[in-house]
Amino acid sequence: MNNTPRANRPHIAIFGRRNAGKSSLINAITNQDIALVSETKGTTTDPVYKSMEILPLGPVVLIDTAGIDDEGELGELRVKKTLTVLDKTDLAILLIDVHAENLGFEEEIIKIIDKKGIPLIGVINKIDLTENEIDKYNSTLNINFIPVSAKTGEGITELKNKIAKKAENIDFEEPAIIGDLINRFDVILHVVPIDDAAPKGRLILPQVQTIRDVLDHNGINIVVQDTELEETIKMFRDKIKIVVTDSQAFGKIRDIVPNDIYLTSYSILYARYKGELNELVRGAKAVKSLEENDLVLISESCTHHRQKGDIGRDKIPRFLQELSNNKLNFEWSSGTTIPNDLSKYSMIVHCGGCMINRKQMLSRINKAKEGNIPIVNYGVFLGMKFEVLDRALDLFPEAKEIWNK
Ligand SMILES: Nc1nc2c(ncn2[C@@H]2O[C@H](COP(=O)(O)OP(=O)(O)OP(=O)(O)O)[C@@H](O)[C@H]2O)c(=O)[nH]1
Ligand SMILES: [Mg+2]
């Protein structure tokens, strides 16, 4: 079960006031003692992500959150953090203590959830304490609440079934990585340079997932280093349909791959799979409009150990300044959040986003779009830098048209 990468599982988040029993509910659903429970209000302070299997649905990510009624300066920060979870939530559960009064907090979050178009399941907890009053919630909030007790387990099976049923109607399917571009027996040649930046003993996630997607669509994978590329192309010349390369090797191999073979990169495939390729290509075009001293945000979704020559710290800033012919200023963000106020940035350069889900990446792209801030990702940008973007977009006519406009 832990072979399904987290970003590809449906994300189910539980919201509610402090002490409603959110953490207890996670334990009850999973039948494990994994979330910290206590009678002290505000026990869960940060969103907690748990990958697990819940039957009858399958692998999911359950997200435990801090209470939406938290107070004080720190409390408000926690509430904000809880709300950012909605950016990657596929299905929301609103949990209410059966003794709750004054449903203002709940009304507020229902509005936000509705606005984002996220499906919602309402749950009343602690029904072991009292049996009445459930109808009161149904009518006030206009939701058909499921009564449960996280303590005794009552109603939990019904809730799981409801989750599975709701999940059926949600489009969790992410678009194909490469599968929609190939037919059975098409040969896809992968170029994977094994250099200092390559992790020891394994491939990285975008490579693994692309190879798997080719298999899922009955294609044929050949995987080589850049050093073996030329000979390999000679061997399979007429059979190869697409060469997929690590973006950083683009410049090195572009002349080796004949023009009648498609050439693209994992990052460009991911730009489409994770986000919106067209918008990112639009962002790349804006590089030329950057002006002296403009501030650029470089945003990475993981917090990997930075090495010398790191792409986000060193290469992207250097290339960006070369391409725009200006001295620029940079700020970096990493992890699951990006700065709330983007207005001071003239451009956002985002990583491929292999550690976040499509929803989250799309929400970042939308945020940039709303603020009229061009956003590009590493792959599209590096394609531009090495002057192969035009060619790499041959597979994607709409994006190519934007690029050439
Ligand atoms: N009687 C009863 N008590 C419950 C039930 N579910 C949770 N509790 C109790 O309610 C208290 C709060 O439970 P938590 O699961 O920590 O609540 P939470 O919503 O995660 O709280 P925060 O993390 O502080 O926001 C604990 O003392 C639990 O034992 C239930 O179904 N019945
Ligand atoms: Mg908790």
Side-chain angles (χ1 to χ4, degrees):
M1 130 194 154
N2 280 321
N3 293 332
T4 313
R6 193 167 86 177
N8 285 2
R9 299 159 174 246
H11 285 47
I12 302 171
I14 303 180
F15 301 97
R17 289 190 234 171
R18 288 168 298 170
N19 266 2
K22 302 178 293 301
S23 302
S24 304
L25 186 67
I26 291 212
N27 292 342
I29 289 175
T30 59
N31 218 351
Q32 293 174 45
D33 242 349
I34 48 178
L36 199 62
V37 168
S38 105
E39 60 198 16
T40 312
K41 271 184 172 183
T43 302
T44 311
T45 53
D46 280 302
V48 182
Y49 296 78
K50 302 278 180 196
S51 294
M52 65 198 40
E53 193 123 357
I54 57 172
L55 294 174
L57 179 57
V60 299
V61 177
L62 279 183
I63 310 172
D64 192 4
T65 64
I68 50 173
D69 62 336
D70 211 343
E71 21 179 52
E73 212 174 309
L74 260 180
E76 277 169 26
L77 280 177
R78 286 185 206 123
V79 173
K80 261 195 185 150
K81 244 188 174 164
T82 293
L83 293 180
T84 65
V85 169
L86 283 169
D87 287 343
K88 50 194 140 169
T89 300
D90 297 300
L91 175 60
I93 293 177
L94 174 61
L95 187 65
I96 304 181
D97 185 316
V98 71
H99 286 129
E101 305 273 343
N102 260 333
L103 300 171
F105 287 108
E106 284 77 9
E107 280 167 350
E108 203 50 43
I109 195 159
I110 290 172
K111 258 191 231 155
I112 302 174
I113 290 171
D114 273 354
K115 202 170 152 213
K116 289 183 177 283
I118 301 169
L120 173 70
I121 296 176
V123 181
I124 304 292
N125 188 29
K126 309 193 187 181
I127 55 157
D128 53 293
L129 299 179
T130 170
E131 293 261 312
N132 5 353
E133 308 205 64
I134 292 163
D135 289 346
K136 163 183 110 186
Y137 300 104
N138 290 346
S139 55
T140 312
L141 296 173
N142 204 9
I143 290 177
N144 234 336
F145 280 93
I146 300 182
V148 307
S149 166
K151 191 176 178 182
T152 66
E154 196 181 341
I156 296 298
T157 306
E158 287 81 355
L159 173 59
K160 284 196 202 174
N161 288 336
K162 176 93 178 210
I163 291 174
K165 207 161 151 221
K166 273 257 183 198
E168 262 176 29
N169 300 325
I170 303 168
D171 187 13
F172 289 129
E173 282 289 312
E174 308 207 11
I177 300 174
I178 193 170
D180 58 330
L181 304 171
I182 62 178
N183 295 313
R184 192 172 180 206
F185 298 123
D186 278 348
V187 174
I188 309 303
L189 177 54
H190 302 262
V191 185
V192 179
I194 308 293
D195 53 18
D196 293 343
K200 268 207 159 49
R202 63 177 175 86
L203 301 178
I204 60 173
L205 194 57
Q207 294 159 348
V208 172
Q209 287 188 314
T210 306
I211 289 171
R212 171 61 194 260
D213 201 39
V214 171
L215 292 176
D216 282 340
H217 292 83
N218 306 95
I220 298 168
N221 289 297
I222 302 178
V223 188
V224 298
Q225 288 200 56
D226 50 331
T227 39
E228 277 66 54
L229 179 62
E230 198 164 357
E231 280 307 308
T232 309
I233 289 179
K234 276 186 201 149
M235 286 182 216
F236 300 99
R237 178 72 178 83
D238 302 330
K239 308 251 174 351
I240 300 166
K241 176 159 186 194
I242 305 173
V243 174
V244 188
T245 180
D246 187 286
S247 300
Q248 299 192 58
F250 234 140
K252 225 187 206 169
I253 68 157
R254 50 190 279 200
D255 293 330
I256 300 177
V257 181
N259 275 322
D260 57 327
I261 296 177
Y262 287 114
L263 171 62
T264 194
S265 71
Y266 296 104
S267 316
I268 282 171
L269 293 177
Y270 260 62
R272 186 178 72 120
Y273 168 59
K274 283 284 179 181
E276 229 183 292
L277 182 60
N278 295 352
E279 194 57 31
L280 298 168
V281 168
R282 223 169 262 131
K285 285 197 78 140
V287 169
K288 302 274 192 230
S289 329
L290 286 171
E291 292 174 1
E292 188 80 9
N293 281 325
D294 272 354
L295 183 61
V296 175
L297 176 69
I298 297 187
S299 178
E300 295 192 328
S301 57
C302 61
T303 48
H304 65 271
H305 178 68
R306 323 242 169 241
Q307 295 161 306
K308 202 168 167 294
D310 184 76
I311 177 158
R313 288 283 150 175
D314 302 334
K315 287 188 184 148
I316 300 275
R318 183 152 46 84
F319 294 161
L320 202 56
Q321 299 188 88
E322 282 170 19
L323 279 175
S324 78
N325 233 331
N326 282 304
K327 196 203 145 287
L328 303 169
N329 298 312
F330 295 92
E331 279 182 12
W332 288 266
S333 79
S334 68
T336 50
T337 55
I338 57 169
N340 218 356
D341 181 17
L342 295 174
S343 60
K344 60 179 172 167
Y345 303 110
S346 301
M347 169 164 284
I348 299 166
V349 186
H350 204 287
C351 70
C354 63
M355 297 308 284
I356 55 180
N357 69 14
R358 178 172 164 82
K359 250 209 164 79
Q360 204 177 6
M361 187 70 200
L362 284 177
S363 129
R364 291 179 182 197
I365 292 174
N366 278 336
K367 213 164 147 187
K369 254 201 225 167
E370 276 166 23
N372 249 328
I373 299 157
I375 180 165
V376 63
N377 82 341
Y378 285 7
V380 173
F381 175 70
L382 289 172
M384 174 185 185
K385 152 80 185 157
F386 295 120
E387 292 174 11
V388 285
L389 186 56
D390 192 56
R391 181 166 176 197
L393 292 180
D394 280 344
L395 282 161
F396 313 106
E398 219 179 291
K400 178 145 178 152
E401 203 183 308
I402 292 170
W403 178 244
N404 286 324
K405 234 197 303 214

